[in-house]
Amino acid sequence: MIVDFVKVPDGSGYGVGNLNKQSRFSRDDIYVVPEYYNGKPVHTILGFDGVRTLVIPPSIKFIFTINLSNIENIEVASTNPYFSSRDGALYNKDMSRLIYCPERSFTISANVRIIEDSGLRHRMSSIYVDKDNPDYSSDGSILYDKYRLKLIRCVLRCIGEVVIPASVYDIAPNAFSGCLHIESIKLPPTLSRIKECTFLNCSALQRVGLPKSLTSIADCAFHMCTSLRSVEFPQSLSYIGASAFDGCTSLSSIAIPESVNYIGKNAFAHCSALTYIKFGQQNLENISTAFVDCKNVTHIETAPSVRSIGKNIFTEFAKLCTVTLEAGITFIDTSTFSSCRKLEAILVAADNKAFAAIDGVLYSKDMTTIIRCPAAKKGAVSIPDSVITIADNAFKDCTNLSCIVISKSVTAIGRNAFAGCSKLESIEIPNSVTTIADNAFKDCNNLTRIILPDFAADNMHKIFAGCSAVTSLELKSSATPSSIGKSSLMPFHALRYLIIPASVESIHPQAFNSCKEIEFIDIDKRNTNYVFIDGILYGNSNTQLIKCTRKTKGIVHIPENVTDIESKAFAGCTAITGVDIPDGVKKICNGTFEGCSNLVRASLPGSLEEIGSSAFSACSNLAEIKIPKIVVTVGSRAFRGCKSLRRIELPKGLTNIQNESFQGCSNLEFISIPKSIASIGDRAFAGCHNIRKIVCRRVYPLHCNPGFEKELIGITTLYVPMRRRYRWIAPWHLFKRYRSLRSLLAIFYKL
């Protein structure tokens, strides 16, 4: 037999045991514990499993009996000063304390005064007590104290119905744990507490009669009583401990009395058959952890004594269909029903003074606030004319509502009020509304049409976050000036039609950056700040070009009075083929013509000083571009993906070519770089694999990483002022074909 000898910390000797060994033993196995190991005494038994007979020598002082398992017989040397044995059981020396008994029929002798907690084994077939014992008694299956006031232990083989004598007022922890064949238990009328793990794993237990005197059910009291079908709690009960009924998978309904003031974590967890719960506590708060994985609860009712319902207490009830609120309820948290996706109706007692319900929808008693519409409600809802406030989360995740009519009496819409209403296609918010909280319509991902007062225009990106399907937006004029902010239209990627009222005085230049599908902007005639002409939105007395719609076709002649063209003003306008930009425009902003895939030519004005990032990015048909003389910067990715460009002559005053400016210009054959150039960004010419001539007029070469393709090294001719200077500086030193710039100038440029 393989055992472990463990040296004790004080070095006085060793402990011995086999609990960590994966061994199998026959029924004839006997293990004799040695007195010495490595010259020192073995004085502690750590634990043994699977040994039929354990022989204990005189040296043993300590035994961890909780780690003894399946031992049928213990024999102690007569000279051991601490322990003794009789009939296979382990006692203290004078045999007044029963420490461990074998798992078979056993009789407790007359002189035993104390039985240790681990002394009795559940697998005993029966247990008897000598009639002369002054402290204990037994009926063969259950061990009691002498006068049957306390029940100590029931043997595992107890079968059928158990009736505990009326004299018993105390039952020890674990008294019935593991009794797999008990089907019914009648508890005594004087019992006030059911202690820890009393009926743990009584898997056949179907019925238990709880006495009217009961005040406490401790942790794990009925844990894994998988056949328990119903429990009637007495009105005296005040405490239900953690995991008290955890795993009672046959329990179908419970009614918790108002006397209960504490329900522990996982008290009713994994009760998969539970469909009905009645709560009687005055305050329902923080009890969601008590009902973990109770996924089949369909109906919840509150007793008249319940006063308040806290936040998210129904999070575990995924199939909850109806909730009945009795007269006593005075407070409900706005997020109480947020996770109840199957909820069809909220019912309220007629005499409730705080709340009312119409067609299953919860309102304040005076009908001025709509509190909660059940998430499973279908079809259309018309909010009554009496309602002034739509509360936070009122319609959250009502995924079956196709239409919601907001009455003209409503003045405030709360946070997440309509969030997740995924079937809602259209919403009209009346002018009476003066407050709309953030995320009010978050993730209404089928919403296509919105009508709302323009006071909310500057905050629409927060109100309608995730509403990416909106195609039509109408702002209704208000009495006070309003604005459309930088991020206002950010959620509306599919927006095609926009109505701007007279009261809008300000539109941020980048407001339309995400609206690539915009087709028509309707401006109120009384609006003197903006105008929409030939598919283009102008502002600031027509000097500011804000947005060109995607239906604009052909060549666009920008009016002479325009001085500012905003970023992404023409982005995604795939139908335009040419653009004439007037003098006075000094900058092509970031992304102005990005994605204009059919743009063939762009006439840039002599006043232009800067070409911004991605200004002409992905203009794949742009065949020619003449960059004006005073341009000093070509922004990053400015001409990236302009596959039709064949020739680029950069102006004499240019100082900066930024990262990836001409990346992917795959048909570019000729580049002329002026001597004024001060920097060339990383990968500025990456992917330009058809370049045949590069003219660089700078006398002293720049050390840079323009991303020239390897295949260019042998076929591209590099024209430079002094070839010896370029031969030592990267990346120019890689080129093999050098020519004098003087000869090129004489032949091609006549300079």
Side-chain angles (χ1 to χ4, degrees), residues 577-592:
T577 58
V579 62
D580 294 322
I581 301 172
D583 261 348
V585 175
K586 294 183 178 181
K587 181 180 179 180
I588 305 295
C589 294
N590 298 345
T592 298

Side-chain angles (χ1 to χ4, degrees), residues 34-71:
E35 286 194 64
Y36 294 92
Y37 180 76
N38 285 342
K40 290 190 176 182
V42 177
H43 56 55
T44 302
I45 292 178
L46 302 173
F48 279 90
D49 183 13
V51 181
R52 180 178 180 182
T53 298
L54 185 67
V55 180
I56 298 174
S59 61
I60 297 299
K61 298 179 182 180
F62 311 104
I63 301 175
F64 290 95
T65 56
I66 195 170
N67 293 332
L68 299 181
S69 180
N70 302 314
I71 295 176

Side-chain angles (χ1 to χ4, degrees), residues 10-232:
D10 63 6
S12 61
Y14 286 88
V16 64
N18 78 324
L19 288 175
N20 295 323
K21 301 299 179 183
Q22 301 297 320
S23 305
R24 291 184 178 273
F25 305 99
S26 68
R27 292 183 60 82
D28 295 325
D29 278 330
I30 299 175
Y31 183 71
V32 179
V33 177
E35 286 194 64
Y36 294 92
Y37 180 76
N38 285 342
K40 290 190 176 182
V42 177
H43 56 55
T44 302
I45 292 178
L46 302 173
F48 279 90
D49 183 13
V51 181
R52 180 178 180 182
T53 298
L54 185 67
V55 180
I56 298 174
S59 61
I60 297 299
K61 298 179 182 180
F62 311 104
I63 301 175
F64 290 95
T65 56
I66 195 170
N67 293 332
L68 299 181
S69 180
N70 302 314
I71 295 176
E72 298 179 12
N73 185 49
I74 293 179
E75 296 178 6
V76 180
S78 60
T79 55
N80 187 296
Y82 304 101
F83 303 102
S84 61
S85 62
R86 179 193 292 173
D87 297 331
L90 178 68
Y91 299 86
N92 66 339
K93 188 61 180 176
D94 64 3
M95 302 190 72
S96 63
R97 180 189 296 266
L98 176 62
I99 299 173
Y100 180 93
C101 69
E103 296 179 345
R104 48 185 168 78
S105 180
F106 185 77
T107 299
I108 298 172
S109 62
N111 61 326
V112 171
R113 307 300 303 274
I114 298 173
I115 300 174
E116 291 193 358
D117 290 341
S118 59
L120 300 178
R121 317 308 292 172
H122 283 298
R123 280 192 286 272
M124 290 186 297
S125 57
S126 59
I127 185 168
Y128 298 96
V129 179
D130 189 292
K131 65 179 180 177
D132 294 326
N133 189 294
D135 296 300
Y136 298 99
S137 63
S138 171
D139 62 5
S141 297
I142 299 176
L143 177 68
Y144 304 91
D145 71 335
K146 185 64 176 179
Y147 302 102
R148 300 203 175 187
L149 299 177
K150 181 177 181 179
L151 188 153
I152 299 170
R153 188 62 54 88
C154 178
V155 298
L156 190 66
R157 297 186 183 181
C158 192
I159 298 174
E161 183 179 14
V162 173
V163 179
I164 299 174
S167 60
V168 172
Y169 70 90
D170 187 18
I171 299 176
N174 289 289
F176 290 88
S177 63
C179 292
L180 304 179
H181 306 291
I182 295 176
E183 298 177 356
S184 174
I185 292 178
K186 186 176 181 181
L187 298 175
T190 57
L191 188 69
S192 62
R193 296 177 60 201
I194 297 177
K195 295 181 178 178
E196 293 83 357
C197 305
T198 299
F199 300 100
L200 175 69
N201 287 326
C202 291
S203 56
L205 183 63
Q206 299 177 20
R207 298 174 301 278
V208 59
L210 302 181
K212 294 180 179 180
S213 57
L214 192 67
T215 60
S216 172
I217 299 175
D219 298 352
C220 299
F222 292 90
H223 183 46
M224 294 304 293
C225 291
T226 54
S227 297
L228 189 62
R229 296 176 182 176
S230 64
V231 177
E232 186 175 345

Side-chain angles (χ1 to χ4, degrees), residues 608 611 626-634 648-655 672-677 697:
L608 194 67
I611 300 174
K626 185 176 182 181
I627 300 175
K629 295 179 181 179
I630 63 172
V631 170
V632 294
T633 300
V634 176
I648 289 291
E649 288 197 44
L650 300 174
K652 293 181 179 180
L654 188 72
T655 59
S672 175
I673 301 172
K675 62 182 179 180
S676 58
I677 198 73
R697 292 183 171 83

Side-chain angles (χ1 to χ4, degrees), residues 372-545:
R372 181 64 192 178
C373 177
K377 195 170 182 64
K378 299 179 180 180
V381 170
S382 293
I383 296 174
D385 292 337
S386 61
V387 172
I388 297 173
T389 302
I390 300 174
D392 294 352
N393 306 299
F395 290 87
K396 185 180 180 183
D397 295 323
C398 290
T399 55
N400 293 313
L401 287 182
S402 57
C403 179
I404 299 172
V405 179
I406 302 174
S407 65
K408 294 181 180 180
S409 60
V410 174
T411 61
I413 298 175
R415 186 178 181 86
N416 291 310
F418 298 92
C421 292
S422 55
K423 282 191 178 180
L424 193 63
E425 296 181 359
S426 175
I427 194 71
E428 180 174 356
I429 302 172
N431 278 340
S432 59
V433 174
T434 57
T435 303
I436 305 176
D438 291 352
N439 297 321
F441 292 87
K442 182 181 179 182
D443 296 331
C444 293
N445 47 33
N446 276 309
L447 191 63
T448 58
R449 182 171 179 262
I450 300 171
I451 303 172
L452 79 161
D454 67 353
F455 81 87
D458 199 38
N459 206 36
M460 287 189 295
H461 63 294
K462 294 181 180 179
I463 297 171
F464 295 97
C467 297
S468 56
V470 173
T471 58
S472 174
L473 174 61
E474 179 181 343
L475 301 177
K476 295 191 290 185
S477 188
S478 61
T480 56
S482 60
S483 63
I484 298 176
K486 178 180 179 180
S487 303
S488 295
L489 303 175
M490 186 181 294
F492 309 133
H493 302 294
L495 187 65
R496 296 185 178 182
Y497 180 76
L498 173 65
I499 296 179
I500 298 176
S503 54
V504 172
E505 289 189 352
S506 171
I507 299 176
H508 193 279
Q510 298 177 33
F512 293 91
N513 279 4
S514 62
C515 302
K516 295 182 179 180
E517 302 296 319
I518 194 79
E519 295 178 357
F520 188 79
I521 302 173
D522 191 354
I523 309 290
D524 190 294
K525 293 179 180 180
R526 296 169 294 171
N527 191 310
T528 58
N529 300 296
Y530 299 95
V531 64
F532 186 71
I533 302 173
D534 297 332
I536 298 177
L537 177 66
Y538 299 93
N540 195 20
S541 301
N542 295 352
T543 62
Q544 178 191 33
L545 192 156

